[in-house]
Structures are given as structure tokens and as C-alpha cells.
Amino acid sequence: MANKNQAIGLRPHGELIRIRKYIASAAVYPDDPISLATAGKVAPSVTVPLVGVAISYASGDGQEVMIADHPDQMFEIQSNGILAQADIQGNFDLSLGTASTLYKRSACVLDAATADNTVATLAVKLLAIGDEVTQEEGATNVDVIVKINNHVQNGGTGTAGLA
């Protein structure tokens, strides 16, 4: 069975540890990865270090947005390529995609082609293959569990991968 091809952004996985209010500098969609922009504001971005992941929608500059910003928060995200158990603890970059303005939804995916076990500065660390029974390991578009590896509250640089 093939995995469903539907970008879901970064959805909180497990317990939601903490959310905080930030001010956006651009439109922000739920489940977008968030980086610092200018003047202390935040914006959707895959540029590391990341601040966290948007939990709410902001229509543009000056709007409040809620961000899951705890460095230990786990997230579920779809991979745009093939990932398997052997990739666990590897580091990856993200691809932002074009958010849905109709459904107010992120289109962010894990970029499977960026797998690297030695680069500590990549955006996320792969922790597990998604735990839904419909997930087919070793197939394209598998959902995976990650945490932000290069997080602004951890000094900005993550750890090297182990896979």
C-alpha cells in the first residue's frame, strides 16, 4: 500500500510541552517551521536555527501567532522521499512548499534527499517512522517523527546524526 501524498507541515506529536505568543513579520500558517525574522518578529522559514513551529494562523506583519517553541517538542511530518528504519537519528533539512491559503495549512515536508549523519546544523533529527498503521516504511511520503535539531534555544547548532 502506498503512503498518502499530503504535506502536513510539522504537527506536534505527543504532549504539547509549551506554546508562546510571538509577533509575525509575514503570513504564518499552522504547522509552519518558524525562524527569527527582523526586529524580534518571526516568519515561516526553513533557515536554521529554528524558533519552533506555528500552532496558529497569522495573516501578516504585526499579527500575533502562537509557536510551539520548546526544544524537546516532537513533531510529525511527511517525507518527500523514501525513508526507512536505517535513517533513524539522521539529520535532515526541511522544504517549506507553498502553504494552502484556502485551508490555512502548511505544505512543509522533510527533504529526504538531504540526509546527513555528520552535519550538526541541519534543521531536524529523525526519531522514528510514523506510528500510524497505514504508514509503509521504505516507501515515498512516509510520515516520520522528528525534533528540531538546530533550535535557537539550544545555542543554534544541533548534534551530528547517528544513522
Side-chain angles (χ1 to χ4, degrees), residues 12-19 68-74:
H13 180 81
E15 177 185 351
L16 184 57
I17 301 172
R18 176 180 70 212
I19 60 173
D69 68 353
H70 196 283
D72 292 330
Q73 181 67 54
M74 294 184 296

Side-chain angles (χ1 to χ4, degrees), residues 75-151:
F75 300 94
E76 187 168 358
I77 186 169
Q78 183 178 71
S79 167
N80 66 359
I82 296 173
L83 293 176
Q85 196 66 32
D87 295 309
I88 301 297
Q89 295 300 317
N91 294 337
F92 296 83
D93 272 331
L94 300 170
S95 177
L96 198 54
T98 303
S100 169
T101 56
L102 178 62
Y103 296 108
K104 306 290 189 267
R105 224 179 136 154
S106 176
C108 184
V109 294
L110 182 137
D111 187 351
T114 63
D116 197 301
N117 301 328
T118 60
V119 177
T121 56
L122 296 182
V124 296
K125 183 174 294 293
L126 177 61
L127 302 177
I129 302 298
D131 49 13
E132 294 179 26
V133 295
T134 58
Q135 291 300 301
E136 183 180 353
E137 176 187 339
T140 304
N141 302 323
V142 67
D143 289 349
V144 294
I145 311 300
V146 300
K147 72 173 266 185
I148 296 174
N149 183 51
N150 194 337
H151 196 290

